[in-house]
Amino acid sequence: MTQETEATAAASGQRATERFREQKASGAGTDKERVNRLASRVVKAINDAVLEEKVTYDEYNAFKAWLIKVGEDGEWPLFLDVWVEHSVEQVANEDRHGSKGTIEGPYYVPDAPEQRSPATLPMREDEPGTPLLFQGRVTNLEDQPLAEAKIEIWHADDLGFYSQYAPGLPEWNLRGTVIADADGTFAINTIQPAPYQIPTDGACGQLIAAAGWHAWRPAHLHLKVSAPGHQLITTQLYFQGDPHVGDDIASAVKPELILDPAPRADGTGREVTYDFVLDPE
């Protein structure tokens, strides 16, 4: 067993919670009328479910204990990003005309080491997995290149673990910021990530087991792509043939985001091309 396989839901959950507190706004600026409207609808939906399903006190107390455990395990970022964020993302990007977005998830870390294209993501000397050349072009809606567009990329390793969230992995393993060339083109050497289960030894895992759900996410690359004067796009790219592209637990897969890599001509792994189109600000 490698050190990274000893990762626990509580440790990664607490780390995700800490990251969220460091990076995200509190939302305290939302006006009272909006808070009243949203909070009232959520509370009403819960009460409607209680009345319609005739929830017992035993079930209510089990639910209360579970909510407490979600907080103790630091898994609110995981819970919300897996089961709620896809709807928030849909609202956020409903007017976008360029590339499709999807959820960010809980494992983004800003300020990854920067390289100019062509680039190779930081990885261990003996990094397991199939080498992958991920390349493409960044343009605007008129198909004009966006010179020096920024591509932030991060993904799990061949065992399904993320650096900074599993022990034993180098700090920036399989994370990087790549600057495209003057034609908006980029080439990134990495390895193809593996499908993985979200952590199941914490509160979210208890819910999954109790409901009889599966915990799998299909293999994917995380990306944030940006250029001056254009809207940043946050997205994930998946792989054709993955057994969970059709039943992703996070409901984040879109047909436009599925890659179909081909073997490289020199026999050194696989390659795939994917172009990004950014909307103006």
Side-chain angles (χ1 to χ4, degrees):
M1 178 180 291
T2 62
Q3 190 177 4
E4 67 186 296
T5 62
E6 298 173 359
T8 65
S12 60
Q14 292 294 344
R15 188 62 176 141
T17 297
E18 291 168 6
R19 290 281 188 192
F20 179 80
R21 287 172 172 162
E22 291 169 0
Q23 298 169 18
K24 307 296 182 182
S26 67
T30 304
D31 66 73
K32 289 183 179 180
E33 288 187 10
R34 182 67 171 168
V35 172
N36 173 55
R37 178 178 176 84
L38 295 177
S40 295
R41 289 198 63 179
V42 170
V43 172
K44 182 179 185 301
I46 294 172
N47 281 281
D48 286 347
V50 169
L51 296 172
E52 292 168 11
E53 299 296 334
K54 299 190 181 301
V55 171
T56 68
Y57 259 105
D58 283 345
E59 291 170 332
Y60 169 70
N61 287 328
F63 176 57
K64 188 189 296 187
W66 179 79
L67 289 175
I68 293 169
K69 183 169 175 55
V70 174
E72 290 174 342
D73 290 348
E75 288 201 318
W76 280 117
L78 178 65
F79 174 82
L80 293 168
D81 291 350
V82 168
W83 285 292
V84 180
E85 188 188 354
H86 65 93
S87 293
V88 180
E89 181 276 322
Q90 181 177 329
V91 173
N93 287 323
E94 60 187 1
D95 295 326
R96 190 181 291 272
H97 299 285
S99 295
K100 292 288 185 181
T102 192
I103 66 174
E104 178 180 306
Y107 300 135
Y108 170 63
V109 181
D111 303 320
E114 186 174 297
Q115 304 177 56
R116 301 194 72 85
S117 178
T120 298
L121 293 189
M123 63 182 77
R124 293 163 288 186
E125 185 175 346
D126 57 348
E127 191 70 44
T130 302
L132 177 70
L133 172 61
F134 175 61
Q135 58 194 348
R137 186 168 175 255
V138 185
T139 67
N140 62 18
L141 295 179
E142 286 73 44
D143 197 36
Q144 297 168 330
L146 295 177
E148 301 197 340
K150 182 167 73 173
I151 300 101
E152 294 180 80
I153 179 171
W154 71 102
H155 61 81
D157 66 9
D158 191 51
L159 293 177
F161 292 97
Y162 287 84
S163 60
Q164 303 193 37
Y165 291 90
L169 293 175
E171 182 180 14
W172 295 107
N173 206 58
L174 303 174
R175 296 177 180 272
T177 301
V178 177
I179 306 302
D181 66 18
D183 295 321
T185 60
F186 63 89
I188 302 170
N189 291 285
T190 184
I191 60 101
Q192 186 164 323
Y196 63 85
Q197 295 187 82
I198 67 167
T200 56
D201 59 320
C204 289
Q206 287 183 336
L207 174 62
I208 289 166
W213 300 338
H214 76 72
W216 285 94
R217 293 224 62 213
H220 54 279
L221 305 173
H222 291 267
L223 297 123
K224 287 179 177 287
V225 183
S226 59
H230 293 78
Q231 297 179 37
L232 176 148
I233 184 75
T234 299
T235 195
Q236 297 179 18
L237 297 176
Y238 306 90
F239 296 88
Q240 187 72 42
D242 189 293
H244 293 291
V245 290
D247 64 357
D248 174 22
I249 188 175
S251 302
V253 179
K254 301 176 183 179
E256 300 89 346
L257 302 179
I258 298 176
L259 304 173
D260 189 13
R264 297 190 68 175
D266 61 7
T268 59
R270 309 175 80 192
E271 64 181 3
V272 67
T273 298
Y274 189 89
D275 298 331
F276 294 96
V277 180
L278 302 188
D279 288 58
E281 288 183 342

